[in-house]
């Protein structure tokens, strides 16, 4: 797996690949439209950034984890949008 580099209008996000869900992280609720990488789930940890709407994410330590199918990835992203998705919930979805 390689780094994912997403260039936006005013910033570049770099996502490091991981094979296990890292401690202290959660699924980053940015949706598939903003993270269009099939089977990949964006992960982030709490932090503070200069922009008010980003204050809960450390943009310097972004990660992603690949799951078995795009269907599973979409279920995880949906869960993150509805209730949030921590490591425990991630594994519940992945393991069915």
């Amino acid at each position: 797996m390689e780094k994912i580099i997403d260039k936006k209008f005013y910033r570049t996000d770099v996502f490091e690949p991981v094979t296990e869900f890292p401690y202290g992280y959660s699924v980053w609720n940015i949706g598939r439209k903003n993270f269009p990488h099939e089977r990949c789930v964006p992960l982030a940890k709490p932090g503070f950034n200069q922009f008010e709407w980003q204050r809960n994410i450390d943009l310097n330590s972004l990660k992603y984890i690949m799951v078995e199918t795009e269907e599973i990835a979409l279920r995880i992203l949906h869960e993150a949008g509805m209730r949030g998705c921590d490591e425990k919930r991630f594994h519940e979805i992945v393991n069915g």
Side-chain angles (χ1 to χ4, degrees):
M1 294 192 304
E2 296 181 11
K3 289 182 188 178
I4 292 176
I5 301 173
D6 282 342
K7 294 183 179 186
K8 305 288 191 250
F9 297 104
Y10 56 89
R11 76 168 201 248
T12 299
D13 292 333
V14 178
F15 294 83
E16 298 283 340
V18 294
T19 56
E20 294 183 21
F21 204 104
Y23 176 78
Y25 279 72
S26 61
V27 175
W28 190 14
N29 176 27
I30 57 175
R32 182 53 81 219
K33 179 181 175 185
N34 293 311
F35 193 74
H37 307 283
E38 190 170 326
R39 296 178 43 213
C40 297
V41 177
L43 306 174
K45 68 178 182 176
F48 182 82
N49 292 286
Q50 64 187 5
F51 301 105
E52 177 69 21
W53 52 272
Q54 295 174 337
R55 68 179 163 179
N56 293 324
I57 300 299
D58 179 356
L59 294 174
N60 296 314
S61 63
L62 300 173
K63 312 251 186 257
Y64 76 91
I65 191 166
M66 188 172 280
V67 294
E68 191 172 320
T69 67
E70 178 64 4
E71 178 182 290
I72 293 170
L74 292 174
R75 284 184 57 211
I76 292 167
L77 291 170
H78 178 75
E79 182 74 12
M82 297 300 290
R83 297 179 231 6
C85 188
D86 61 8
E87 180 180 6
K88 179 181 177 190
R89 184 66 183 129
F90 172 87
H91 286 299
E92 289 172 353
I93 294 169
V94 168
N95 296 324

XYZ file of all heavy atoms in Angstrom:
809
model
N 0.842 -1.183 0.000
C 0.000 0.000 0.000
C 0.885 1.244 0.000
O 1.922 1.271 0.634
C -0.909 0.006 1.233
C -1.935 -1.108 1.236
S -3.241 -0.960 2.481
C -2.353 -0.851 3.993
N 0.404 2.245 -0.692
C 1.153 3.484 -0.806
C 0.412 4.623 -0.118
O -0.790 4.523 0.143
C 1.350 3.835 -2.273
C 2.184 2.829 -3.024
C 2.379 3.218 -4.480
O 2.046 4.354 -4.842
O 2.865 2.376 -5.232
N 1.123 5.702 0.146
C 0.497 6.903 0.672
C -0.570 7.373 -0.300
O -0.432 7.237 -1.505
C 1.506 8.039 0.824
C 2.499 7.858 1.910
C 3.402 9.083 1.955
C 4.533 8.839 2.922
N 5.450 9.988 2.961
N -1.618 7.962 0.251
C -2.627 8.632 -0.562
C -2.427 10.127 -0.355
O -2.384 10.603 0.785
C -4.053 8.220 -0.156
C -4.304 6.753 -0.523
C -5.080 9.139 -0.816
C -5.656 6.228 -0.082
N -2.293 10.848 -1.448
C -2.109 12.295 -1.376
C -3.300 12.950 -2.054
O -3.508 12.783 -3.258
C -0.790 12.720 -2.042
C 0.382 12.015 -1.332
C -0.641 14.236 -2.026
C 1.719 12.212 -1.997
N -4.102 13.659 -1.252
C -5.276 14.360 -1.760
C -5.001 15.847 -1.744
O -4.803 16.440 -0.677
C -6.507 14.063 -0.902
C -7.120 12.714 -1.198
O -6.831 12.147 -2.268
O -7.896 12.221 -0.352
N -5.021 16.453 -2.921
C -4.804 17.898 -3.027
C -6.146 18.591 -3.119
O -6.962 18.282 -3.984
C -3.945 18.219 -4.237
C -2.543 17.673 -4.104
C -1.665 18.062 -5.264
C -0.268 17.479 -5.022
N 0.675 17.910 -6.022
N -6.356 19.520 -2.196
C -7.567 20.337 -2.187
C -7.196 21.732 -2.657
O -6.051 22.024 -2.947
C -8.150 20.404 -0.771
C -8.422 19.046 -0.134
C -9.602 18.357 -0.754
C -10.017 17.157 0.060
N -9.770 15.901 -0.541
N -8.133 22.628 -2.671
C -7.901 23.985 -3.137
C -6.785 24.683 -2.373
O -5.967 25.356 -2.944
C -9.179 24.823 -3.014
C -10.276 24.298 -3.884
C -11.327 23.592 -3.338
C -10.248 24.492 -5.257
C -12.345 23.107 -4.137
C -11.251 24.006 -6.066
C -12.316 23.307 -5.504
N -6.739 24.519 -1.076
C -5.803 25.272 -0.247
C -4.901 24.403 0.615
O -4.133 24.913 1.417
C -6.571 26.248 0.653
C -7.600 25.558 1.500
C -7.280 25.059 2.752
C -8.886 25.365 1.026
C -8.202 24.402 3.517
C -9.824 24.710 1.788
C -9.480 24.241 3.026
O -10.410 23.572 3.770
N -5.000 23.091 0.490
C -4.139 22.224 1.293
C -3.977 20.860 0.632
O -4.731 20.498 -0.255
C -4.672 22.088 2.709
C -5.861 21.184 2.842
C -6.137 20.876 4.316
N -6.910 19.692 4.420
C -8.172 19.654 4.845
N -8.773 20.751 5.214
N -8.805 18.518 4.917
N -2.997 20.143 1.120
C -2.746 18.778 0.677
C -2.798 17.873 1.892
O -2.126 18.127 2.893
C -1.361 18.672 -0.002
O -1.349 19.534 -1.139
C -1.078 17.259 -0.443
N -3.617 16.822 1.831
C -3.703 15.834 2.903
C -2.932 14.588 2.486
O -3.120 14.080 1.383
C -5.156 15.449 3.181
C -5.964 16.590 3.787
O -5.359 17.442 4.452
O -7.187 16.605 3.593
N -2.078 14.107 3.379
C -1.301 12.897 3.126
C -1.761 11.828 4.113
O -1.712 12.024 5.329
C 0.215 13.163 3.286
C 0.999 11.881 3.062
C 0.668 14.259 2.337
N -2.216 10.703 3.576
C -2.714 9.588 4.373
C -1.715 8.443 4.299
O -1.431 7.931 3.217
C -4.062 9.109 3.837
C -5.181 10.107 3.977
C -5.341 11.104 3.028
C -6.059 10.046 5.036
C -6.374 12.027 3.137
C -7.092 10.962 5.150
C -7.248 11.955 4.203
N -1.191 8.048 5.439
C -0.274 6.913 5.531
C -1.083 5.620 5.629
O -2.073 5.564 6.362
C 0.612 7.042 6.773
C 1.507 8.255 6.784
C 2.713 8.100 5.884
O 3.081 6.957 5.550
O 3.275 9.138 5.517
N -0.671 4.572 4.955
C -1.395 3.303 5.057
C -1.079 2.576 6.370
O 0.038 2.651 6.877
C -0.865 2.509 3.872
C 0.509 3.049 3.644
C 0.449 4.498 4.019
N -2.097 1.909 6.916
C -1.914 1.044 8.086
C -2.647 -0.265 7.833
O -3.596 -0.311 7.047
C -2.428 1.713 9.390
C -1.597 2.930 9.753
C -3.893 2.084 9.291
N -2.194 -1.308 8.481
C -2.861 -2.600 8.339
C -3.669 -2.949 9.583
O -4.465 -3.888 9.549
C -1.839 -3.717 8.064
O -0.868 -3.730 9.106
C -1.164 -3.503 6.708
N -3.453 -2.209 10.671
C -4.228 -2.382 11.893
C -4.716 -1.017 12.341
O -4.040 -0.005 12.146
C -3.370 -3.007 12.996
C -2.951 -4.424 12.681
C -2.153 -5.043 13.827
O -2.267 -4.560 14.968
O -1.423 -5.996 13.567
N -5.886 -0.990 12.961
C -6.476 0.261 13.423
C -5.594 0.847 14.524
O -5.384 0.225 15.557
C -7.881 -0.018 13.965
C -8.787 1.168 13.940
C -9.766 1.265 12.970
C -8.669 2.170 14.885
C -10.627 2.360 12.946
C -9.516 3.261 14.864
C -10.503 3.361 13.894
N -5.041 2.050 14.345
C -4.117 2.603 15.332
C -4.818 3.128 16.589
O -5.935 3.654 16.517
C -3.423 3.748 14.579
C -4.266 4.045 13.406
C -5.145 2.864 13.149
N -4.140 2.979 17.708
C -4.659 3.448 18.995
C -4.888 4.958 18.954
O -4.058 5.715 18.450
C -3.670 3.108 20.114
C -4.088 3.634 21.454
C -5.068 2.969 22.194
C -3.527 4.790 21.975
C -5.470 3.448 23.416
C -3.930 5.283 23.208
C -4.902 4.604 23.920
O -5.307 5.096 25.137
N -6.017 5.407 19.492
C -6.317 6.825 19.583
C -6.948 7.423 18.338
O -7.239 8.613 18.295
N -7.172 6.630 17.327
C -7.756 7.109 16.069
C -9.235 6.747 16.003
O -9.723 5.877 16.726
C -7.047 6.483 14.869
C -5.754 7.151 14.509
C -4.619 6.998 15.306
C -5.643 7.929 13.366
C -3.425 7.613 14.981
C -4.446 8.551 13.023
C -3.351 8.387 13.837
O -2.173 9.011 13.508
N -9.935 7.403 15.083
C -11.300 7.043 14.737
C -11.467 7.258 13.236
O -10.603 7.856 12.587
C -12.317 7.875 15.528
O -12.151 9.238 15.242
N -12.568 6.761 12.704
C -12.837 6.966 11.289
C -13.160 8.446 11.097
O -13.954 9.026 11.828
C -14.005 6.085 10.803
C -14.369 6.399 9.359
C -13.639 4.607 10.957
N -12.512 9.059 10.128
C -12.723 10.477 9.850
C -13.960 10.608 8.966
O -13.998 10.108 7.851
C -11.499 11.073 9.159
C -11.524 12.566 9.037
C -12.361 13.422 9.689
C -10.659 13.381 8.249
N -12.070 14.717 9.346
C -11.030 14.724 8.453
C -9.615 13.097 7.384
C -10.392 15.781 7.834
C -8.971 14.156 6.759
C -9.351 15.487 6.991
N -14.950 11.290 9.470
C -16.236 11.437 8.799
C -16.154 12.481 7.685
O -16.672 13.581 7.798
C -17.303 11.824 9.829
C -18.635 12.085 9.196
O -18.937 11.548 8.139
N -19.433 12.914 9.816
N -15.500 12.123 6.579
C -15.432 13.045 5.445
C -16.182 12.500 4.233
O -16.296 13.181 3.227
C -13.973 13.399 5.054
C -13.157 12.155 4.723
C -13.319 14.211 6.142
C -11.753 12.475 4.206
N -16.707 11.299 4.336
C -17.522 10.741 3.265
C -16.714 10.305 2.049
O -15.578 10.708 1.847
N -17.334 9.488 1.244
C -16.670 8.954 0.062
C -16.419 10.058 -0.968
O -15.419 10.046 -1.669
C -17.515 7.815 -0.546
C -16.908 7.156 -1.755
C -15.483 6.657 -1.556
N -15.414 5.382 -0.896
C -14.479 5.080 0.013
N -13.560 5.944 0.368
N -14.451 3.914 0.590
N -17.313 11.038 -1.060
C -17.127 12.129 -2.024
C -15.804 12.860 -1.782
O -15.118 13.247 -2.726
C -18.294 13.115 -1.918
C -18.186 14.285 -2.849
C -19.362 15.221 -2.671
C -19.174 16.452 -3.525
N -20.220 17.440 -3.291
N -15.429 13.031 -0.530
C -14.196 13.737 -0.189
C -13.001 12.812 -0.003
O -11.879 13.292 0.218
C -14.409 14.570 1.073
C -15.375 15.693 0.832
O -15.254 16.435 -0.140
N -16.377 15.801 1.687
N -13.230 11.520 -0.065
C -12.149 10.528 0.036
C -12.457 9.413 -0.959
O -12.873 8.311 -0.583
C -12.042 9.995 1.471
C -10.778 9.219 1.732
C -9.562 9.864 1.864
C -10.803 7.842 1.854
C -8.389 9.152 2.102
C -9.636 7.119 2.096
C -8.434 7.782 2.218
N -12.290 9.685 -2.264
C -12.748 8.763 -3.306
C -11.770 7.631 -3.625
O -11.344 7.456 -4.768
C -12.913 9.701 -4.511
C -11.839 10.720 -4.314
C -11.776 10.928 -2.815
N -11.428 6.864 -2.606
C -10.455 5.783 -2.776
C -11.130 4.469 -2.385
O -11.358 4.205 -1.203
C -9.204 6.053 -1.941
C -8.636 7.407 -2.207
N -7.905 7.701 -3.339
C -8.722 8.565 -1.504
C -7.546 8.970 -3.314
N -8.035 9.514 -2.214
N -11.435 3.673 -3.383
C -12.192 2.452 -3.170
C -11.544 1.544 -2.136
O -10.330 1.341 -2.143
C -12.335 1.708 -4.503
C -13.313 0.572 -4.414
C -13.641 -0.019 -5.771
O -13.670 0.736 -6.757
O -13.869 -1.237 -5.819
N -12.390 1.022 -1.243
C -12.026 0.098 -0.164
C -11.186 0.744 0.929
O -10.813 0.065 1.889
C -11.288 -1.128 -0.723
C -12.137 -1.976 -1.635
C -11.387 -3.162 -2.218
N -10.570 -3.823 -1.224
C -9.398 -4.422 -1.503
N -8.937 -4.448 -2.738
N -8.704 -4.989 -0.547
N -10.878 2.023 0.829
C -10.053 2.704 1.826
C -10.917 3.537 2.771
O -11.870 4.183 2.345
C -9.032 3.609 1.149
S -7.856 2.689 0.141
N -10.570 3.488 4.046
C -11.297 4.223 5.080
C -10.328 5.211 5.724
O -9.269 4.809 6.223
C -11.862 3.249 6.139
C -12.545 4.003 7.260
C -12.819 2.245 5.487
N -10.671 6.516 5.737
C -9.778 7.516 6.328
C -9.836 7.481 7.857
O -10.912 7.352 8.443
C -10.331 8.840 5.787
C -11.788 8.581 5.588
C -11.880 7.136 5.174
N -8.673 7.588 8.482
C -8.576 7.587 9.937
C -7.878 8.858 10.399
O -6.965 9.348 9.743
C -7.764 6.376 10.412
C -8.236 5.008 9.925
C -7.250 3.930 10.355
C -9.630 4.701 10.448
N -8.314 9.375 11.549
C -7.709 10.588 12.088
C -7.705 10.513 13.609
O -8.452 9.748 14.214
C -8.489 11.814 11.626
N -6.845 11.326 14.210
C -6.815 11.409 15.666
C -7.077 12.860 16.062
O -6.892 13.772 15.255
C -5.498 10.894 16.234
C -4.289 11.731 15.934
C -3.060 11.126 16.591
C -1.848 12.004 16.330
N -0.658 11.512 17.014
N -7.508 13.069 17.296
C -7.814 14.429 17.743
C -6.597 15.345 17.669
O -5.460 14.910 17.818
C -8.249 14.242 19.190
C -8.626 12.815 19.301
C -7.767 12.077 18.319
N -6.870 16.593 17.432
C -5.810 17.593 17.371
C -6.416 18.974 17.266
O -7.603 19.169 17.478
N -5.613 19.949 16.927
C -6.103 21.310 16.747
C -5.444 21.910 15.523
O -4.250 21.759 15.313
C -5.800 22.181 17.967
C -6.334 23.566 17.813
C -7.661 23.837 18.086
C -5.521 24.588 17.356
C -8.169 25.109 17.917
C -6.017 25.864 17.184
C -7.339 26.131 17.461
N -6.234 22.561 14.703
C -5.730 23.214 13.505
C -6.197 24.661 13.471
O -7.076 25.067 14.219
C -6.219 22.470 12.258
C -5.585 21.110 12.153
O -4.413 20.999 11.824
N -6.326 20.073 12.484
N -5.638 25.409 12.588
C -5.917 26.834 12.539
C -7.346 27.170 12.117
O -7.830 28.248 12.380
C -4.936 27.542 11.609
C -5.035 27.113 10.164
C -3.945 27.717 9.307
O -3.063 28.387 9.799
N -4.015 27.466 8.018
N -8.013 26.267 11.471
C -9.374 26.524 11.024
C -10.361 25.936 12.020
O -10.245 24.792 12.429
C -9.604 25.935 9.633
C -8.660 26.491 8.603
C -7.598 25.736 8.133
C -8.811 27.785 8.132
C -6.725 26.246 7.197
C -7.934 28.310 7.196
C -6.888 27.540 6.734
N -11.352 26.695 12.394
C -12.335 26.291 13.403
C -12.960 24.932 13.081
O -13.085 24.087 13.951
C -13.430 27.360 13.494
C -14.539 27.034 14.443
C -14.127 27.049 15.900
O -13.118 27.676 16.239
O -14.838 26.438 16.708
N -13.340 24.691 11.830
C -14.047 23.471 11.482
C -13.139 22.243 11.458
O -13.606 21.131 11.310
C -14.773 23.637 10.150
C -13.900 24.132 9.052
C -13.647 25.436 8.736
C -13.131 23.359 8.145
N -12.780 25.506 7.682
C -12.452 24.262 7.293
C -12.952 21.996 7.954
C -11.615 23.829 6.268
C -12.118 21.584 6.936
C -11.464 22.493 6.107
N -11.836 22.441 11.617
C -10.903 21.317 11.632
C -10.326 21.069 13.021
O -9.447 20.265 13.183
C -9.732 21.597 10.697
C -10.094 21.706 9.261
C -8.901 22.118 8.435
O -7.960 22.717 8.933
N -8.943 21.808 7.160
N -10.793 21.763 14.012
C -10.113 21.764 15.298
C -9.993 20.403 15.981
O -9.190 20.242 16.878
C -10.750 22.751 16.246
C -12.126 22.344 16.671
C -12.691 23.338 17.613
N -14.115 23.137 17.681
C -14.906 23.821 18.421
N -14.438 24.771 19.153
N -16.185 23.570 18.423
N -10.767 19.422 15.561
C -10.709 18.127 16.230
C -9.875 17.086 15.502
O -9.849 15.943 15.894
C -12.122 17.590 16.438
C -12.886 18.438 17.411
O -12.334 18.941 18.373
N -14.163 18.630 17.146
N -9.186 17.482 14.453
C -8.410 16.543 13.648
C -6.961 17.011 13.530
O -6.695 18.165 13.235
C -9.008 16.436 12.225
C -10.449 15.945 12.267
C -8.168 15.550 11.328
C -10.631 14.576 12.865
N -6.034 16.094 13.759
C -4.615 16.378 13.540
C -4.300 16.044 12.085
O -4.143 14.877 11.727
C -3.761 15.543 14.491
C -2.273 15.769 14.296
O -1.882 16.520 13.384
O -1.500 15.170 15.062
N -4.227 17.060 11.252
C -4.018 16.847 9.821
C -2.616 16.366 9.476
O -2.358 15.972 8.341
C -4.323 18.139 9.045
C -5.783 18.574 9.074
C -5.950 19.927 8.396
C -6.674 17.534 8.415
N -1.727 16.351 10.446
C -0.359 15.893 10.206
C -0.168 14.413 10.488
O 0.948 13.901 10.347
C 0.616 16.713 11.049
C 0.603 18.163 10.634
O 0.644 18.466 9.450
N 0.514 19.060 11.603
N -1.222 13.728 10.903
C -1.070 12.301 11.227
C -2.207 11.466 10.646
O -2.646 10.502 11.257
C -1.009 12.122 12.742
O -2.226 12.547 13.322
N -2.674 11.815 9.472
C -3.768 11.083 8.841
C -3.310 9.702 8.381
O -2.174 9.520 7.961
C -4.302 11.875 7.646
C -4.855 13.248 7.966
C -5.199 13.989 6.677
C -6.060 13.161 8.871
N -4.227 8.755 8.475
C -3.956 7.385 8.065
C -5.152 6.873 7.272
O -6.207 7.479 7.260
C -3.756 6.485 9.281
C -2.808 7.022 10.336
C -1.546 6.257 10.338
C -0.636 6.691 11.477
N 0.440 7.533 11.039
N -4.967 5.728 6.615
C -6.106 5.029 6.026
C -5.875 3.539 6.190
O -4.751 3.054 6.328
C -6.315 5.412 4.554
C -5.342 4.785 3.579
C -5.621 3.569 2.962
C -4.142 5.400 3.268
C -4.736 2.996 2.057
C -3.251 4.844 2.366
C -3.553 3.640 1.770
O -2.673 3.067 0.881
N -6.994 2.829 6.219
C -6.954 1.377 6.314
C -7.821 0.814 5.194
O -8.880 1.355 4.901
C -7.407 0.896 7.713
C -7.112 -0.584 7.914
C -8.858 1.235 7.985
C -7.211 -1.045 9.361
N -7.341 -0.222 4.563
C -8.078 -0.841 3.457
C -8.886 -2.006 4.008
O -8.392 -2.799 4.809
C -7.122 -1.322 2.371
C -7.819 -1.799 1.125
S -6.679 -2.154 -0.230
C -6.405 -0.506 -0.821
N -10.147 -2.081 3.572
C -11.024 -3.176 3.990
C -11.290 -4.089 2.793
O -10.930 -3.775 1.658
C -12.335 -2.639 4.610
C -12.040 -1.899 5.908
C -13.096 -1.751 3.654
N -11.941 -5.200 3.036
C -12.107 -6.243 2.025
C -12.932 -5.803 0.811
O -12.596 -6.152 -0.317
C -12.756 -7.476 2.672
C -12.752 -8.694 1.805
C -13.230 -9.923 2.554
O -12.879 -10.088 3.730
O -13.958 -10.709 1.927
N -14.012 -5.054 1.043
C -14.872 -4.644 -0.067
C -15.254 -3.171 0.061
O -15.211 -2.595 1.145
C -16.174 -5.468 -0.114
O -16.964 -5.152 1.039
C -15.901 -6.970 -0.170
N -15.677 -2.596 -1.044
C -16.172 -1.212 -1.026
C -17.468 -1.124 -0.231
O -17.724 -0.124 0.430
C -16.367 -0.695 -2.455
C -16.921 0.702 -2.540
C -16.032 1.806 -1.978
O -14.886 1.536 -1.554
O -16.488 2.962 -1.966
N -18.273 -2.160 -0.260
C -19.513 -2.171 0.519
C -19.219 -2.003 2.007
O -19.896 -1.247 2.701
C -20.284 -3.471 0.274
C -21.564 -3.567 1.085
C -22.282 -4.879 0.859
O -22.816 -5.071 -0.253
O -22.302 -5.702 1.802
N -18.229 -2.714 2.514
C -17.848 -2.581 3.922
C -17.334 -1.171 4.199
O -17.697 -0.553 5.210
C -16.796 -3.644 4.319
C -17.414 -5.041 4.276
C -16.216 -3.346 5.704
C -16.406 -6.171 4.420
N -16.517 -0.640 3.307
C -15.997 0.714 3.483
C -17.142 1.724 3.564
O -17.136 2.621 4.424
C -15.046 1.073 2.346
N -18.136 1.583 2.693
C -19.269 2.512 2.702
C -20.101 2.382 3.968
O -20.592 3.383 4.498
C -20.132 2.295 1.455
C -19.471 2.680 0.131
C -20.362 2.294 -1.049
C -19.115 4.159 0.102
N -20.251 1.167 4.475
C -20.970 0.975 5.752
C -20.233 1.668 6.891
O -20.844 2.289 7.752
C -21.124 -0.513 6.061
C -22.198 -1.177 5.219
C -22.421 -2.621 5.591
N -22.758 -2.746 7.003
C -22.445 -3.813 7.746
N -21.797 -4.828 7.223
N -22.788 -3.851 9.017
N -18.916 1.564 6.897
C -18.107 2.210 7.944
C -18.218 3.725 7.831
O -18.412 4.419 8.840
C -16.645 1.744 7.852
C -16.538 0.261 8.227
C -15.741 2.604 8.730
C -15.215 -0.383 7.869
N -18.116 4.257 6.612
C -18.229 5.703 6.422
C -19.620 6.202 6.807
O -19.763 7.281 7.386
C -17.895 6.076 4.981
C -16.430 5.894 4.594
C -16.250 6.051 3.100
C -15.550 6.869 5.352
N -20.642 5.431 6.498
C -22.008 5.793 6.896
C -22.121 5.836 8.421
O -22.690 6.779 8.981
C -23.005 4.804 6.304
C -24.419 5.077 6.696
N -25.151 6.102 6.156
C -25.222 4.473 7.593
C -26.349 6.118 6.709
N -26.416 5.133 7.584
N -21.587 4.832 9.076
C -21.613 4.783 10.547
C -20.889 5.992 11.134
O -21.356 6.600 12.102
C -20.982 3.488 11.040
C -20.998 3.320 12.548
C -22.371 2.978 13.105
O -23.288 2.655 12.333
O -22.530 3.039 14.339
N -19.757 6.347 10.559
C -19.000 7.509 11.036
C -19.833 8.776 10.923
O -19.787 9.643 11.797
C -17.693 7.652 10.257
N -20.607 8.893 9.847
C -21.452 10.060 9.654
C -22.652 10.097 10.578
O -23.104 11.170 10.972
N -23.163 8.946 10.945
C -24.362 8.884 11.788
C -24.051 8.984 13.278
O -24.697 9.725 14.000
C -25.123 7.575 11.519
C -25.634 7.445 10.099
S -26.790 8.761 9.648
C -28.186 8.330 10.647
N -23.067 8.217 13.744
C -22.803 8.133 15.177
C -21.335 8.267 15.560
O -20.984 8.188 16.713
C -23.284 6.782 15.724
C -24.768 6.545 15.600
C -25.147 5.190 16.129
N -25.939 4.261 15.394
C -26.403 4.289 14.169
N -26.124 5.256 13.406
N -27.143 3.340 13.671
N -20.477 8.327 14.574
C -19.047 8.235 14.848
C -18.646 6.771 14.775
O -19.480 5.874 14.922
N -17.381 6.522 14.547
C -16.935 5.136 14.405
C -15.534 5.004 14.984
O -14.559 5.435 14.378
C -16.972 4.722 12.931
S -16.648 2.966 12.654
N -15.464 4.399 16.161
C -14.172 4.161 16.798
C -13.655 2.780 16.410
O -14.264 2.082 15.587
C -14.285 4.312 18.316
C -15.269 3.323 18.945
O -15.765 2.398 18.254
O -15.539 3.473 20.148
N -12.554 2.391 17.003
C -11.938 1.105 16.663
C -12.873 -0.074 16.929
O -12.992 -0.985 16.104
C -10.638 0.920 17.446
C -9.935 -0.388 17.140
C -8.638 -0.572 17.911
O -8.318 0.268 18.775
O -7.947 -1.566 17.637
N -13.551 -0.050 18.058
C -14.443 -1.153 18.409
C -15.556 -1.304 17.377
O -15.814 -2.397 16.887
C -15.044 -0.925 19.788
C -16.006 -2.008 20.211
C -16.591 -1.731 21.565
C -17.600 -2.822 21.911
N -18.379 -2.492 23.103
N -16.193 -0.205 17.020
C -17.299 -0.248 16.045
C -16.779 -0.631 14.655
O -17.428 -1.379 13.929
C -18.033 1.087 16.012
C -19.232 1.074 15.113
C -20.329 0.123 15.659
N -21.427 0.087 14.724
C -21.976 -1.035 14.243
N -21.539 -2.220 14.642
N -22.969 -0.973 13.395
N -15.614 -0.144 14.295
C -14.980 -0.505 13.028
C -14.861 -2.031 12.922
O -15.249 -2.636 11.928
C -13.599 0.155 12.921
C -12.783 -0.300 11.747
C -12.913 0.319 10.515
C -11.872 -1.340 11.880
C -12.155 -0.103 9.420
C -11.111 -1.767 10.798
C -11.259 -1.145 9.564
N -14.329 -2.669 13.976
C -14.122 -4.117 13.942
C -15.454 -4.872 13.957
O -15.567 -5.936 13.337
C -13.231 -4.563 15.092
C -11.797 -4.209 14.877
N -11.057 -4.686 13.816
C -10.961 -3.390 15.558
C -9.842 -4.200 13.859
N -9.754 -3.402 14.902
N -16.469 -4.327 14.630
C -17.792 -4.953 14.591
C -18.333 -4.991 13.165
O -18.889 -6.005 12.729
C -18.760 -4.200 15.507
C -18.489 -4.379 16.972
C -19.337 -3.472 17.857
O -20.059 -2.598 17.333
O -19.247 -3.629 19.079
N -18.171 -3.907 12.432
C -18.651 -3.856 11.057
C -17.832 -4.774 10.159
O -18.376 -5.543 9.371
C -18.641 -2.403 10.523
C -19.667 -1.554 11.305
C -18.952 -2.369 9.030
C -19.556 -0.075 11.043
N -16.510 -4.700 10.281
C -15.628 -5.515 9.432
C -15.851 -7.014 9.665
O -15.877 -7.799 8.720
C -14.143 -5.143 9.679
C -13.201 -6.153 9.042
C -13.860 -3.749 9.142
N -16.037 -7.393 10.930
C -16.184 -8.813 11.259
C -17.607 -9.316 11.155
O -17.860 -10.490 11.397
C -15.607 -9.086 12.652
C -14.122 -8.829 12.697
O -13.409 -9.081 11.732
N -13.644 -8.284 13.803
N -18.537 -8.414 10.813
C -19.929 -8.785 10.574
C -20.624 -9.228 11.793
O -21.476 -9.907 11.981
